[in-house]
Amino acid sequence: MRLRTRPSRRRGATLVESAMVIAVFLLFLFGIFEYCRYLMVLHVANNAARDGARYASVNVNCPPDQVAAKKAAILTYTTDRMAGVQKNIQGYQVAVYSCDQSGFASNPPQVIAKSSPTGATVDPFKAYSGTNPLADWNAAAFTERVAVTIKGTYRPIAPLSINMGRLKLSIIPDNIPVNVTAVMGSEG
């Protein structure tokens, strides 16, 4: 004779446990996807800056009346090499400038924008009023360096953080700075 045992009332426990495991799994899965997207954006920006620096270094010798047009062409060329990925970078900016050789002698080496005769350290992204202390990209003599910098902020699409009171679990930060510089020797 068989005894009938009454089934326990745990049918909903499996559903709750599955939901918790799936939520954590999806959080990590989307974190991996988002990190891969960030690496793709960084890789494309590196290649675009390198291509732009190469284009700038071979076009250093241009007539003075064509400097502004050639600089715009270099910036456009670099942006074209981003192939639309620049839409993933908020505050996307590109700068082309000649480098101060003294920055390469420091440890670690630093890419410093060459200034005009004032000698002050300058930001290649800042708009200066009056006389521009930034030396143009074509001021680089033969064997001096020309740099292209891409700057902005990468913001992930999916918010990958969970707030649990005082505890905040974050897979990827909300803002990741992108600052890519490529340097080439001038051929002018």
Side-chain angles (χ1 to χ4, degrees):
M1 172 188 255
R2 289 166 104 187
L3 293 174
R4 288 191 172 196
T5 59
R6 194 170 182 177
S8 63
R9 301 203 178 264
R10 293 188 37 89
R11 288 186 283 177
T14 304
L15 185 64
V16 171
E17 290 170 1
S18 297
M20 292 176 69
V21 169
I22 288 173
V24 171
F25 172 74
L26 287 177
L27 182 70
F28 283 113
L29 183 69
F30 286 129
I32 291 169
F33 286 147
E34 200 63 60
Y35 184 67
C36 290
R37 265 188 75 241
Y38 168 68
L39 289 180
M40 183 211 49
V41 167
L42 202 58
H43 181 72
V44 169
N46 273 317
N47 285 336
R50 189 177 316 117
D51 286 348
R54 177 71 181 143
Y55 184 69
S57 70
V58 298
N59 289 298
V60 169
N61 288 335
C62 69
D65 60 334
Q66 295 180 3
V67 170
K70 187 58 82 172
K71 183 175 183 176
I74 293 167
L75 299 178
T76 302
Y77 182 84
T78 304
T79 300
D80 288 346
R81 295 301 170 270
M82 290 291 290
V85 175
Q86 72 271 16
K87 294 175 186 171
N88 295 318
I89 302 174
Q90 287 187 338
Y92 172 78
Q93 294 177 307
V94 180
V96 58
Y97 51 94
S98 58
C99 298
D100 189 357
Q101 298 294 100
S102 66
F104 299 122
S106 63
N107 189 12
Q110 297 177 356
V111 179
I112 301 170
K114 184 191 263 184
S115 62
S116 58
T118 60
T121 303
V122 292
D123 180 8
F125 293 101
K126 184 178 176 187
Y128 293 95
S129 61
T131 59
N132 189 357
L134 180 65
D136 282 330
W137 58 276
N138 64 342
F142 183 65
T143 71
E144 288 186 343
R145 306 290 188 244
V146 174
V148 171
T149 299
I150 296 174
K151 181 177 159 182
T153 303
Y154 175 77
R155 290 185 52 97
I157 291 177
L160 295 172
S161 58
I162 300 173
N163 289 325
M164 294 182 255
R166 288 190 224 171
L167 177 65
K168 180 177 180 181
L169 175 64
S170 181
I171 304 295
I172 293 180
D174 295 336
N175 296 318
I176 304 171
V178 174
N179 195 358
V180 175
T181 301
V183 179
M184 295 278 175
S186 171
E187 296 180 8

